[in-house]
Amino acid sequence: MLAALGFATIAVILLLTMTQRASVLVALILLPVLAALIGGFAGDLGELILGGLSKVAPTGIMIAFAVLYFSLMVDAGLFDPLVRGLLRVARGDPLRITVATAVLTLCVALDGDGASTFLITVSALLPVYKRLGMNPLVLSGVVCLGAGVMNMIPWGGPTVRAMAALKLDSSEVFNPVLPAMGFGIVWVLVASYLLGRRERNRLGALSPRGPAADVRGDEWDDREPAASTTVTTAAAAESSGRATTTTADGHERQPLRSPADGPGTVRIPPLPRTWLSIFNLLLTVALVVCLIQEVLPLPVLFVLGFAIAVLVNHPTWEQQQALLDKHAKSVVLVTTMIFAAGVLTGILSGTKMLDEMAEALVSVVPDSFGSHLPVAVAVTSMPLSLLFTPDAYYFGVLPVLAETANGFGTDPAEVARAAVLGQMTTGFPLSPLTASTFILVGMSGVSLGEHQRFIFRWAFATTLVMTAGALVTGAFSL
C-alpha cells in the first residue's frame, strides 16, 4: 500500500511538472500532503513536514546567500574578463560556447559539490548566453551533463554512500569505473558539441562583437559597457542627495558614496574599479578554497562572504537595499523550491514510503536475472534518481540488490560500481528530490519540466555510454 502510494505520488509529480499542468512548488507540497492523508498519517503530518524542512534548512540558507553573493559579483563585473575571453575565443559561435560550458563545468565540479558547481558556472556563463541570444536550456543541460559525470568522484555523495553501505573502499568501487568515467567525459564533450551545433544552426553563426558594443541593458545585467564613457547626472544628485553616474546610453552606474546628506556635502567617489575588482576576485577565490576545504559549514561561509562583499561593494544602506530589492525574486524562487522539496522528502521518508518502495523494487527482480544484475542496475540507475533520494537508494535498495547478486555468485562491489554510473550522478541534476536541481533551473531561468524534457535523453545516454565502457574495461560482467 505505502509503496504504491509512494510510486504514484512521484509519478504524478513528474507528470504534472513535465507537462506544466501545475507549478513545481505546488506539486511538491500538496501532492505529498495528499498522499500522507490517504495513507493515514494525518496526525503526524506536522511533524513529518517539519522534519523534512529542518533537513533542507541549511541548504536553503546557503542558497539564499550564495545567490545574493554571486549576483553581487556578476553586477560588479567579476566575471566580465571570463565573458570577454569566451566571446573572443568563441568568435560569436554558439558551438564553441557550448563546448566551453562543458569544459568549465567538468573543471569546477571537481570539488564534488553540485550546488557550488551550479552557482559558479551558471553565474559566470548566463551573461554570455544572454549576450548571444542562446537558449538557456542549453546552459542548464550541458552543466547538468558535466556535473553528473563528475559526481562519481570518490568524495562525491553517491560514491561515498555506496562505499559506506556495502563497507567497501575507493579501490573497490571507484578505481575500476575510472575508465568508464573517462568514456562519460568524452560523451559529455561530444553531446555538448552536438547541442552547440544545433544551437548554431538555430541562431546562425554570429559575427564577433566587442564586449562593449551593442549590448542591451536587459541582456547584460544592466551593467555598463566597459568602454563607454560616463557622465554625472545632476538631476539625480539633486533629488536623491547622492551623485550618480550614467553611461553614454543612459544606464545608471553605482551611486557615489557620501558620508552625509544635504546640499554642499563633500562627495567621496567609490573605490577605484581596479582595486575593487581585485578585492572581489581574492574574496571569491578565498571563499571557494574554504568551501573545498570545509573550513566552516557552507551556509556560514556564504553568510560571511556576502556580508563582507556587500559592505565593500555597496557601503551605504541605500545601495544595500537596492541590491536586495533587485535580486529578491531570484532568492525567493530558488529557496521556496528547496523548502518545497523538503516537504516531499520529509513525508516520503517519515512515513516509510521510501523503504517500502525499495523493498517492492527489489522483490520484482526474477531469480533468473541475478547473474545480470550489475548491468540491470547500471541501466536503471539514472531513471531511478527521479524516484529515490540518494540515502533511500544507497542505504535501502543497494544493500538488498548486492546481497541478491552475491547469492548468484556476483561480487557485491560490481553492483556498487553499476549504481554510481547513474544513480544521483548523471541523474541528480534532473531529480526533484535534490535541492541542487532547483539551484540549476532557478538560476538558469528555466522550469524543471522544460529542463527534464530537454536533457533527459542526453543524460540517460551518458549512463549507457559509461555502462558500455564498464563492460569493455571489465568493471563488471554481462
Side-chain angles (χ1 to χ4, degrees), residues 2 4 27 31 37 51 75-78 99 109 125 132 175 194 206 220 236 252 300 317 336 400 406 414 460:
L2 287 180
L31 288 176
L37 294 176
D75 289 350
L78 176 64
V99 174
L125 294 173
L132 297 179
N175 291 3
L194 296 175
L206 302 178
W220 198 228
E252 183 176 310
V300 176
W317 180 86
T336 51
V400 181
N406 191 39
E414 291 189 12
F460 188 40

mmCIF file with all atom_site columns, all heavy atoms in Angstrom, residues 2 4 27 31 37 51 75-78 99 109 125 132 175 194 206 220 236 252 300 317 336 400 406 414 460:
data_model
loop_
_atom_site.group_PDB
_atom_site.id
_atom_site.type_symbol
_atom_site.label_atom_id
_atom_site.label_alt_id
_atom_site.label_comp_id
_atom_site.label_asym_id
_atom_site.label_entity_id
_atom_site.label_seq_id
_atom_site.pdbx_PDB_ins_code
_atom_site.Cartn_x
_atom_site.Cartn_y
_atom_site.Cartn_z
_atom_site.occupancy
_atom_site.B_iso_or_equiv
_atom_site.pdbx_formal_charge
_atom_site.auth_seq_id
_atom_site.auth_comp_id
_atom_site.auth_asym_id
_atom_site.auth_atom_id
_atom_site.pdbx_PDB_model_num
ATOM 1   N N   . LEU A 1 2   ? 1.817  1.334   0.953   1.00 0.00 ? 2   LEU A N   1
ATOM 2   C CA  . LEU A 1 2   ? 2.675  2.515   1.041   1.00 0.00 ? 2   LEU A CA  1
ATOM 3   C C   . LEU A 1 2   ? 3.583  2.628   -0.187  1.00 0.00 ? 2   LEU A C   1
ATOM 4   O O   . LEU A 1 2   ? 3.832  3.735   -0.669  1.00 0.00 ? 2   LEU A O   1
ATOM 5   C CB  . LEU A 1 2   ? 3.517  2.471   2.319   1.00 0.00 ? 2   LEU A CB  1
ATOM 6   C CG  . LEU A 1 2   ? 2.785  2.745   3.632   1.00 0.00 ? 2   LEU A CG  1
ATOM 7   C CD1 . LEU A 1 2   ? 3.753  2.653   4.800   1.00 0.00 ? 2   LEU A CD1 1
ATOM 8   C CD2 . LEU A 1 2   ? 2.128  4.125   3.596   1.00 0.00 ? 2   LEU A CD2 1
ATOM 9   N N   . ALA A 1 4   ? 2.974  1.546   -3.249  1.00 0.00 ? 4   ALA A N   1
ATOM 10  C CA  . ALA A 1 4   ? 2.161  2.006   -4.380  1.00 0.00 ? 4   ALA A CA  1
ATOM 11  C C   . ALA A 1 4   ? 1.838  3.487   -4.249  1.00 0.00 ? 4   ALA A C   1
ATOM 12  O O   . ALA A 1 4   ? 1.860  4.241   -5.232  1.00 0.00 ? 4   ALA A O   1
ATOM 13  C CB  . ALA A 1 4   ? 0.870  1.188   -4.466  1.00 0.00 ? 4   ALA A CB  1
ATOM 14  N N   . ALA A 1 27  ? 3.094  21.288  -6.705  1.00 0.00 ? 27  ALA A N   1
ATOM 15  C CA  . ALA A 1 27  ? 3.116  19.826  -6.784  1.00 0.00 ? 27  ALA A CA  1
ATOM 16  C C   . ALA A 1 27  ? 3.946  19.213  -5.657  1.00 0.00 ? 27  ALA A C   1
ATOM 17  O O   . ALA A 1 27  ? 3.539  18.208  -5.053  1.00 0.00 ? 27  ALA A O   1
ATOM 18  C CB  . ALA A 1 27  ? 3.673  19.384  -8.133  1.00 0.00 ? 27  ALA A CB  1
ATOM 19  N N   . LEU A 1 31  ? 0.848  17.430  -3.252  1.00 0.00 ? 31  LEU A N   1
ATOM 20  C CA  . LEU A 1 31  ? 0.707  16.004  -3.558  1.00 0.00 ? 31  LEU A CA  1
ATOM 21  C C   . LEU A 1 31  ? 1.251  15.105  -2.444  1.00 0.00 ? 31  LEU A C   1
ATOM 22  O O   . LEU A 1 31  ? 0.592  14.125  -2.075  1.00 0.00 ? 31  LEU A O   1
ATOM 23  C CB  . LEU A 1 31  ? 1.385  15.690  -4.891  1.00 0.00 ? 31  LEU A CB  1
ATOM 24  C CG  . LEU A 1 31  ? 0.650  16.232  -6.129  1.00 0.00 ? 31  LEU A CG  1
ATOM 25  C CD1 . LEU A 1 31  ? 1.443  15.946  -7.391  1.00 0.00 ? 31  LEU A CD1 1
ATOM 26  C CD2 . LEU A 1 31  ? -0.739 15.618  -6.239  1.00 0.00 ? 31  LEU A CD2 1
ATOM 27  N N   . LEU A 1 37  ? -2.224 12.006  3.850   1.00 0.00 ? 37  LEU A N   1
ATOM 28  C CA  . LEU A 1 37  ? -3.601 11.918  4.345   1.00 0.00 ? 37  LEU A CA  1
ATOM 29  C C   . LEU A 1 37  ? -4.249 10.601  3.914   1.00 0.00 ? 37  LEU A C   1
ATOM 30  O O   . LEU A 1 37  ? -4.933 9.943   4.709   1.00 0.00 ? 37  LEU A O   1
ATOM 31  C CB  . LEU A 1 37  ? -4.412 13.105  3.826   1.00 0.00 ? 37  LEU A CB  1
ATOM 32  C CG  . LEU A 1 37  ? -3.992 14.493  4.338   1.00 0.00 ? 37  LEU A CG  1
ATOM 33  C CD1 . LEU A 1 37  ? -4.810 15.587  3.661   1.00 0.00 ? 37  LEU A CD1 1
ATOM 34  C CD2 . LEU A 1 37  ? -4.137 14.572  5.857   1.00 0.00 ? 37  LEU A CD2 1
ATOM 35  N N   . GLY A 1 51  ? 10.097 17.900  9.975   1.00 0.00 ? 51  GLY A N   1
ATOM 36  C CA  . GLY A 1 51  ? 11.344 17.132  9.887   1.00 0.00 ? 51  GLY A CA  1
ATOM 37  C C   . GLY A 1 51  ? 12.019 17.305  8.537   1.00 0.00 ? 51  GLY A C   1
ATOM 38  O O   . GLY A 1 51  ? 13.236 17.465  8.458   1.00 0.00 ? 51  GLY A O   1
ATOM 39  N N   . ASP A 1 75  ? 27.032 41.590  -10.954 1.00 0.00 ? 75  ASP A N   1
ATOM 40  C CA  . ASP A 1 75  ? 26.784 43.024  -11.112 1.00 0.00 ? 75  ASP A CA  1
ATOM 41  C C   . ASP A 1 75  ? 28.079 43.816  -11.058 1.00 0.00 ? 75  ASP A C   1
ATOM 42  O O   . ASP A 1 75  ? 28.247 44.816  -11.762 1.00 0.00 ? 75  ASP A O   1
ATOM 43  C CB  . ASP A 1 75  ? 25.837 43.526  -10.018 1.00 0.00 ? 75  ASP A CB  1
ATOM 44  C CG  . ASP A 1 75  ? 24.416 43.027  -10.219 1.00 0.00 ? 75  ASP A CG  1
ATOM 45  O OD1 . ASP A 1 75  ? 24.132 42.470  -11.288 1.00 0.00 ? 75  ASP A OD1 1
ATOM 46  O OD2 . ASP A 1 75  ? 23.590 43.180  -9.298  1.00 0.00 ? 75  ASP A OD2 1
ATOM 47  N N   . ALA A 1 76  ? 29.006 43.377  -10.198 1.00 0.00 ? 76  ALA A N   1
ATOM 48  C CA  . ALA A 1 76  ? 30.264 44.094  -10.033 1.00 0.00 ? 76  ALA A CA  1
ATOM 49  C C   . ALA A 1 76  ? 31.235 43.855  -11.182 1.00 0.00 ? 76  ALA A C   1
ATOM 50  O O   . ALA A 1 76  ? 32.288 44.494  -11.250 1.00 0.00 ? 76  ALA A O   1
ATOM 51  C CB  . ALA A 1 76  ? 30.924 43.696  -8.709  1.00 0.00 ? 76  ALA A CB  1
ATOM 52  N N   . GLY A 1 77  ? 30.892 42.918  -12.055 1.00 0.00 ? 77  GLY A N   1
ATOM 53  C CA  . GLY A 1 77  ? 31.745 42.670  -13.218 1.00 0.00 ? 77  GLY A CA  1
ATOM 54  C C   . GLY A 1 77  ? 32.859 41.683  -12.975 1.00 0.00 ? 77  GLY A C   1
ATOM 55  O O   . GLY A 1 77  ? 33.814 41.627  -13.756 1.00 0.00 ? 77  GLY A O   1
ATOM 56  N N   . LEU A 1 78  ? 32.765 40.861  -11.916 1.00 0.00 ? 78  LEU A N   1
ATOM 57  C CA  . LEU A 1 78  ? 33.835 39.916  -11.622 1.00 0.00 ? 78  LEU A CA  1
ATOM 58  C C   . LEU A 1 78  ? 34.060 38.944  -12.777 1.00 0.00 ? 78  LEU A C   1
ATOM 59  O O   . LEU A 1 78  ? 35.197 38.563  -13.078 1.00 0.00 ? 78  LEU A O   1
ATOM 60  C CB  . LEU A 1 78  ? 33.501 39.130  -10.340 1.00 0.00 ? 78  LEU A CB  1
ATOM 61  C CG  . LEU A 1 78  ? 34.489 38.025  -9.949  1.00 0.00 ? 78  LEU A CG  1
ATOM 62  C CD1 . LEU A 1 78  ? 35.854 38.616  -9.625  1.00 0.00 ? 78  LEU A CD1 1
ATOM 63  C CD2 . LEU A 1 78  ? 33.965 37.217  -8.776  1.00 0.00 ? 78  LEU A CD2 1
ATOM 64  N N   . VAL A 1 99  ? 30.649 24.034  -25.949 1.00 0.00 ? 99  VAL A N   1
ATOM 65  C CA  . VAL A 1 99  ? 31.752 23.145  -25.570 1.00 0.00 ? 99  VAL A CA  1
ATOM 66  C C   . VAL A 1 99  ? 32.541 23.742  -24.407 1.00 0.00 ? 99  VAL A C   1
ATOM 67  O O   . VAL A 1 99  ? 32.933 23.026  -23.468 1.00 0.00 ? 99  VAL A O   1
ATOM 68  C CB  . VAL A 1 99  ? 32.674 22.885  -26.777 1.00 0.00 ? 99  VAL A CB  1
ATOM 69  C CG1 . VAL A 1 99  ? 33.898 22.076  -26.351 1.00 0.00 ? 99  VAL A CG1 1
ATOM 70  C CG2 . VAL A 1 99  ? 31.912 22.151  -27.876 1.00 0.00 ? 99  VAL A CG2 1
ATOM 71  N N   . ALA A 1 109 ? 33.395 21.141  -11.197 1.00 0.00 ? 109 ALA A N   1
ATOM 72  C CA  . ALA A 1 109 ? 32.732 20.059  -10.469 1.00 0.00 ? 109 ALA A CA  1
ATOM 73  C C   . ALA A 1 109 ? 33.697 19.142  -9.742  1.00 0.00 ? 109 ALA A C   1
ATOM 74  O O   . ALA A 1 109 ? 33.265 18.222  -9.040  1.00 0.00 ? 109 ALA A O   1
ATOM 75  C CB  . ALA A 1 109 ? 31.869 19.241  -11.425 1.00 0.00 ? 109 ALA A CB  1
ATOM 76  N N   . LEU A 1 125 ? 28.396 32.032  -16.786 1.00 0.00 ? 125 LEU A N   1
ATOM 77  C CA  . LEU A 1 125 ? 28.097 31.822  -18.203 1.00 0.00 ? 125 LEU A CA  1
ATOM 78  C C   . LEU A 1 125 ? 26.749 32.356  -18.656 1.00 0.00 ? 125 LEU A C   1
ATOM 79  O O   . LEU A 1 125 ? 26.552 32.583  -19.854 1.00 0.00 ? 125 LEU A O   1
ATOM 80  C CB  . LEU A 1 125 ? 28.170 30.319  -18.518 1.00 0.00 ? 125 LEU A CB  1
ATOM 81  C CG  . LEU A 1 125 ? 29.566 29.703  -18.388 1.00 0.00 ? 125 LEU A CG  1
ATOM 82  C CD1 . LEU A 1 125 ? 29.492 28.188  -18.547 1.00 0.00 ? 125 LEU A CD1 1
ATOM 83  C CD2 . LEU A 1 125 ? 30.512 30.284  -19.417 1.00 0.00 ? 125 LEU A CD2 1
ATOM 84  N N   . LEU A 1 132 ? 24.521 36.329  -26.513 1.00 0.00 ? 132 LEU A N   1
ATOM 85  C CA  . LEU A 1 132 ? 24.435 35.733  -27.839 1.00 0.00 ? 132 LEU A CA  1
ATOM 86  C C   . LEU A 1 132 ? 23.022 35.305  -28.209 1.00 0.00 ? 132 LEU A C   1
ATOM 87  O O   . LEU A 1 132 ? 22.799 34.820  -29.325 1.00 0.00 ? 132 LEU A O   1
ATOM 88  C CB  . LEU A 1 132 ? 25.371 34.520  -27.924 1.00 0.00 ? 132 LEU A CB  1
ATOM 89  C CG  . LEU A 1 132 ? 26.863 34.804  -27.748 1.00 0.00 ? 132 LEU A CG  1
ATOM 90  C CD1 . LEU A 1 132 ? 27.667 33.526  -27.834 1.00 0.00 ? 132 LEU A CD1 1
ATOM 91  C CD2 . LEU A 1 132 ? 27.351 35.810  -28.787 1.00 0.00 ? 132 LEU A CD2 1
ATOM 92  N N   . ASN A 1 175 ? 37.916 3.053   -8.443  1.00 0.00 ? 175 ASN A N   1
ATOM 93  C CA  . ASN A 1 175 ? 39.035 2.800   -9.361  1.00 0.00 ? 175 ASN A CA  1
ATOM 94  C C   . ASN A 1 175 ? 38.648 1.949   -10.566 1.00 0.00 ? 175 ASN A C   1
ATOM 95  O O   . ASN A 1 175 ? 39.039 2.261   -11.700 1.00 0.00 ? 175 ASN A O   1
ATOM 96  C CB  . ASN A 1 175 ? 40.199 2.143   -8.603  1.00 0.00 ? 175 ASN A CB  1
ATOM 97  C CG  . ASN A 1 175 ? 40.864 3.101   -7.626  1.00 0.00 ? 175 ASN A CG  1
ATOM 98  O OD1 . ASN A 1 175 ? 40.419 4.229   -7.472  1.00 0.00 ? 175 ASN A OD1 1
ATOM 99  N ND2 . ASN A 1 175 ? 41.910 2.650   -6.948  1.00 0.00 ? 175 ASN A ND2 1
ATOM 100 N N   . LEU A 1 194 ? 27.288 18.469  -30.153 1.00 0.00 ? 194 LEU A N   1
ATOM 101 C CA  . LEU A 1 194 ? 26.059 18.270  -30.927 1.00 0.00 ? 194 LEU A CA  1
ATOM 102 C C   . LEU A 1 194 ? 24.997 19.302  -30.551 1.00 0.00 ? 194 LEU A C   1
ATOM 103 O O   . LEU A 1 194 ? 24.314 19.851  -31.421 1.00 0.00 ? 194 LEU A O   1
ATOM 104 C CB  . LEU A 1 194 ? 25.521 16.851  -30.695 1.00 0.00 ? 194 LEU A CB  1
ATOM 105 C CG  . LEU A 1 194 ? 26.428 15.714  -31.192 1.00 0.00 ? 194 LEU A CG  1
ATOM 106 C CD1 . LEU A 1 194 ? 25.860 14.360  -30.791 1.00 0.00 ? 194 LEU A CD1 1
ATOM 107 C CD2 . LEU A 1 194 ? 26.605 15.793  -32.706 1.00 0.00 ? 194 LEU A CD2 1
ATOM 108 N N   . LEU A 1 206 ? 27.181 33.856  -35.395 1.00 0.00 ? 206 LEU A N   1
ATOM 109 C CA  . LEU A 1 206 ? 27.144 35.298  -35.169 1.00 0.00 ? 206 LEU A CA  1
ATOM 110 C C   . LEU A 1 206 ? 28.513 35.897  -35.421 1.00 0.00 ? 206 LEU A C   1
ATOM 111 O O   . LEU A 1 206 ? 29.541 35.307  -35.101 1.00 0.00 ? 206 LEU A O   1
ATOM 112 C CB  . LEU A 1 206 ? 26.709 35.590  -33.732 1.00 0.00 ? 206 LEU A CB  1
ATOM 113 C CG  . LEU A 1 206 ? 25.338 35.026  -33.323 1.00 0.00 ? 206 LEU A CG  1
ATOM 114 C CD1 . LEU A 1 206 ? 25.066 35.346  -31.874 1.00 0.00 ? 206 LEU A CD1 1
ATOM 115 C CD2 . LEU A 1 206 ? 24.252 35.616  -34.199 1.00 0.00 ? 206 LEU A CD2 1
ATOM 116 N N   . TRP A 1 220 ? 22.529 42.300  -20.417 1.00 0.00 ? 220 TRP A N   1
ATOM 117 C CA  . TRP A 1 220 ? 23.863 42.353  -19.807 1.00 0.00 ? 220 TRP A CA  1
ATOM 118 C C   . TRP A 1 220 ? 23.772 42.771  -18.359 1.00 0.00 ? 220 TRP A C   1
ATOM 119 O O   . TRP A 1 220 ? 24.595 43.483  -17.833 1.00 0.00 ? 220 TRP A O   1
ATOM 120 C CB  . TRP A 1 220 ? 24.716 43.316  -20.613 1.00 0.00 ? 220 TRP A CB  1
ATOM 121 C CG  . TRP A 1 220 ? 26.193 43.190  -20.400 1.00 0.00 ? 220 TRP A CG  1
ATOM 122 C CD1 . TRP A 1 220 ? 27.077 44.195  -20.152 1.00 0.00 ? 220 TRP A CD1 1
ATOM 123 C CD2 . TRP A 1 220 ? 26.974 42.001  -20.416 1.00 0.00 ? 220 TRP A CD2 1
ATOM 124 N NE1 . TRP A 1 220 ? 28.340 43.708  -20.028 1.00 0.00 ? 220 TRP A NE1 1
ATOM 125 C CE2 . TRP A 1 220 ? 28.309 42.365  -20.189 1.00 0.00 ? 220 TRP A CE2 1
ATOM 126 C CE3 . TRP A 1 220 ? 26.665 40.668  -20.606 1.00 0.00 ? 220 TRP A CE3 1
ATOM 127 C CZ2 . TRP A 1 220 ? 29.329 41.436  -20.133 1.00 0.00 ? 220 TRP A CZ2 1
ATOM 128 C CZ3 . TRP A 1 220 ? 27.691 39.742  -20.558 1.00 0.00 ? 220 TRP A CZ3 1
ATOM 129 C CH2 . TRP A 1 220 ? 28.999 40.142  -20.327 1.00 0.00 ? 220 TRP A CH2 1
ATOM 130 N N   . ALA A 1 236 ? 19.599 63.646  -10.827 1.00 0.00 ? 236 ALA A N   1
ATOM 131 C CA  . ALA A 1 236 ? 19.512 62.553  -9.859  1.00 0.00 ? 236 ALA A CA  1
ATOM 132 C C   . ALA A 1 236 ? 20.215 62.932  -8.576  1.00 0.00 ? 236 ALA A C   1
ATOM 133 O O   . ALA A 1 236 ? 19.773 62.584  -7.486  1.00 0.00 ? 236 ALA A O   1
ATOM 134 C CB  . ALA A 1 236 ? 20.134 61.291  -10.450 1.00 0.00 ? 236 ALA A CB  1
ATOM 135 N N   . GLU A 1 252 ? 22.271 53.606  -15.511 1.00 0.00 ? 252 GLU A N   1
ATOM 136 C CA  . GLU A 1 252 ? 22.792 54.173  -14.270 1.00 0.00 ? 252 GLU A CA  1
ATOM 137 C C   . GLU A 1 252 ? 23.877 53.292  -13.686 1.00 0.00 ? 252 GLU A C   1
ATOM 138 O O   . GLU A 1 252 ? 23.761 52.074  -13.635 1.00 0.00 ? 252 GLU A O   1
ATOM 139 C CB  . GLU A 1 252 ? 21.651 54.299  -13.249 1.00 0.00 ? 252 GLU A CB  1
ATOM 140 C CG  . GLU A 1 252 ? 22.095 54.955  -11.936 1.00 0.00 ? 252 GLU A CG  1
ATOM 141 C CD  . GLU A 1 252 ? 20.924 55.149  -10.976 1.00 0.00 ? 252 GLU A CD  1
ATOM 142 O OE1 . GLU A 1 252 ? 19.910 55.690  -11.431 1.00 0.00 ? 252 GLU A OE1 1
ATOM 143 O OE2 . GLU A 1 252 ? 21.051 54.745  -9.817  1.00 0.00 ? 252 GLU A OE2 1
ATOM 144 N N   . VAL A 1 300 ? 27.418 29.018  6.608   1.00 0.00 ? 300 VAL A N   1
ATOM 145 C CA  . VAL A 1 300 ? 28.157 30.050  7.348   1.00 0.00 ? 300 VAL A CA  1
ATOM 146 C C   . VAL A 1 300 ? 29.121 30.786  6.414   1.00 0.00 ? 300 VAL A C   1
ATOM 147 O O   . VAL A 1 300 ? 29.249 32.017  6.469   1.00 0.00 ? 300 VAL A O   1
ATOM 148 C CB  . VAL A 1 300 ? 28.922 29.415  8.531   1.00 0.00 ? 300 VAL A CB  1
ATOM 149 C CG1 . VAL A 1 300 ? 29.779 30.468  9.239   1.00 0.00 ? 300 VAL A CG1 1
ATOM 150 C CG2 . VAL A 1 300 ? 27.950 28.780  9.505   1.00 0.00 ? 300 VAL A CG2 1
ATOM 151 N N   . TRP A 1 317 ? 23.544 52.239  3.134   1.00 0.00 ? 317 TRP A N   1
ATOM 152 C CA  . TRP A 1 317 ? 22.307 51.498  3.381   1.00 0.00 ? 317 TRP A CA  1
ATOM 153 C C   . TRP A 1 317 ? 21.426 51.491  2.142   1.00 0.00 ? 317 TRP A C   1
ATOM 154 O O   . TRP A 1 317 ? 20.824 50.472  1.804   1.00 0.00 ? 317 TRP A O   1
ATOM 155 C CB  . TRP A 1 317 ? 21.562 52.146  4.548   1.00 0.00 ? 317 TRP A CB  1
ATOM 156 C CG  . TRP A 1 317 ? 20.276 51.464  4.902   1.00 0.00 ? 317 TRP A CG  1
ATOM 157 C CD1 . TRP A 1 317 ? 20.107 50.402  5.725   1.00 0.00 ? 317 TRP A CD1 1
ATOM 158 C CD2 . TRP A 1 317 ? 18.964 51.798  4.405   1.00 0.00 ? 317 TRP A CD2 1
ATOM 159 N NE1 . TRP A 1 317 ? 18.780 50.033  5.790   1.00 0.00 ? 317 TRP A NE1 1
ATOM 160 C CE2 . TRP A 1 317 ? 18.051 50.878  4.994   1.00 0.00 ? 317 TRP A CE2 1
ATOM 161 C CE3 . TRP A 1 317 ? 18.468 52.765  3.534   1.00 0.00 ? 317 TRP A CE3 1
ATOM 162 C CZ2 . TRP A 1 317 ? 16.680 50.921  4.740   1.00 0.00 ? 317 TRP A CZ2 1
ATOM 163 C CZ3 . TRP A 1 317 ? 17.106 52.802  3.276   1.00 0.00 ? 317 TRP A CZ3 1
ATOM 164 C CH2 . TRP A 1 317 ? 16.232 51.900  3.866   1.00 0.00 ? 317 TRP A CH2 1
ATOM 165 N N   . THR A 1 336 ? 12.285 28.785  -2.134  1.00 0.00 ? 336 THR A N   1
ATOM 166 C CA  . THR A 1 336 ? 10.973 28.167  -1.941  1.00 0.00 ? 336 THR A CA  1
ATOM 167 C C   . THR A 1 336 ? 10.928 26.772  -2.559  1.00 0.00 ? 336 THR A C   1
ATOM 168 O O   . THR A 1 336 ? 10.281 25.865  -2.005  1.00 0.00 ? 336 THR A O   1
ATOM 169 C CB  . THR A 1 336 ? 9.858  29.038  -2.558  1.00 0.00 ? 336 THR A CB  1
ATOM 170 O OG1 . THR A 1 336 ? 10.189 29.367  -3.915  1.00 0.00 ? 336 THR A OG1 1
ATOM 171 C CG2 . THR A 1 336 ? 9.665  30.307  -1.765  1.00 0.00 ? 336 THR A CG2 1
ATOM 172 N N   . VAL A 1 400 ? 20.255 -4.564  -0.561  1.00 0.00 ? 400 VAL A N   1
ATOM 173 C CA  . VAL A 1 400 ? 19.434 -5.728  -0.917  1.00 0.00 ? 400 VAL A CA  1
ATOM 174 C C   . VAL A 1 400 ? 19.839 -6.260  -2.290  1.00 0.00 ? 400 VAL A C   1
ATOM 175 O O   . VAL A 1 400 ? 19.950 -7.475  -2.500  1.00 0.00 ? 400 VAL A O   1
ATOM 176 C CB  . VAL A 1 400 ? 17.941 -5.354  -0.888  1.00 0.00 ? 400 VAL A CB  1
ATOM 177 C CG1 . VAL A 1 400 ? 17.085 -6.570  -1.239  1.00 0.00 ? 400 VAL A CG1 1
ATOM 178 C CG2 . VAL A 1 400 ? 17.548 -4.809  0.473   1.00 0.00 ? 400 VAL A CG2 1
ATOM 179 N N   . ASN A 1 406 ? 25.059 -11.371 -4.704  1.00 0.00 ? 406 ASN A N   1
ATOM 180 C CA  . ASN A 1 406 ? 26.023 -12.242 -4.035  1.00 0.00 ? 406 ASN A CA  1
ATOM 181 C C   . ASN A 1 406 ? 25.526 -13.684 -4.002  1.00 0.00 ? 406 ASN A C   1
ATOM 182 O O   . ASN A 1 406 ? 26.309 -14.626 -4.111  1.00 0.00 ? 406 ASN A O   1
ATOM 183 C CB  . ASN A 1 406 ? 26.286 -11.740 -2.619  1.00 0.00 ? 406 ASN A CB  1
ATOM 184 C CG  . ASN A 1 406 ? 27.464 -12.436 -1.974  1.00 0.00 ? 406 ASN A CG  1
ATOM 185 O OD1 . ASN A 1 406 ? 28.481 -12.703 -2.617  1.00 0.00 ? 406 ASN A OD1 1
ATOM 186 N ND2 . ASN A 1 406 ? 27.332 -12.753 -0.689  1.00 0.00 ? 406 ASN A ND2 1
ATOM 187 N N   . GLU A 1 414 ? 30.571 -5.126  -7.701  1.00 0.00 ? 414 GLU A N   1
ATOM 188 C CA  . GLU A 1 414 ? 30.155 -4.855  -9.073  1.00 0.00 ? 414 GLU A CA  1
ATOM 189 C C   . GLU A 1 414 ? 28.812 -4.122  -9.102  1.00 0.00 ? 414 GLU A C   1
ATOM 190 O O   . GLU A 1 414 ? 28.580 -3.250  -9.946  1.00 0.00 ? 414 GLU A O   1
ATOM 191 C CB  . GLU A 1 414 ? 30.062 -6.162  -9.864  1.00 0.00 ? 414 GLU A CB  1
ATOM 192 C CG  . GLU A 1 414 ? 31.400 -6.829  -10.124 1.00 0.00 ? 414 GLU A CG  1
ATOM 193 C CD  . GLU A 1 414 ? 31.290 -7.997  -11.097 1.00 0.00 ? 414 GLU A CD  1
ATOM 194 O OE1 . GLU A 1 414 ? 30.221 -8.127  -11.739 1.00 0.00 ? 414 GLU A OE1 1
ATOM 195 O OE2 . GLU A 1 414 ? 32.258 -8.765  -11.212 1.00 0.00 ? 414 GLU A OE2 1
ATOM 196 N N   . PHE A 1 460 ? 20.617 10.182  -19.897 1.00 0.00 ? 460 PHE A N   1
ATOM 197 C CA  . PHE A 1 460 ? 20.470 8.721   -19.912 1.00 0.00 ? 460 PHE A CA  1
ATOM 198 C C   . PHE A 1 460 ? 21.501 8.100   -20.845 1.00 0.00 ? 460 PHE A C   1
ATOM 199 O O   . PHE A 1 460 ? 22.082 7.046   -20.547 1.00 0.00 ? 460 PHE A O   1
ATOM 200 C CB  . PHE A 1 460 ? 19.050 8.359   -20.342 1.00 0.00 ? 460 PHE A CB  1
ATOM 201 C CG  . PHE A 1 460 ? 18.727 6.896   -20.204 1.00 0.00 ? 460 PHE A CG  1
ATOM 202 C CD1 . PHE A 1 460 ? 19.170 6.167   -19.108 1.00 0.00 ? 460 PHE A CD1 1
ATOM 203 C CD2 . PHE A 1 460 ? 17.983 6.237   -21.161 1.00 0.00 ? 460 PHE A CD2 1
ATOM 204 C CE1 . PHE A 1 460 ? 18.867 4.815   -18.973 1.00 0.00 ? 460 PHE A CE1 1
ATOM 205 C CE2 . PHE A 1 460 ? 17.682 4.888   -21.051 1.00 0.00 ? 460 PHE A CE2 1
ATOM 206 C CZ  . PHE A 1 460 ? 18.125 4.179   -19.945 1.00 0.00 ? 460 PHE A CZ  1
#
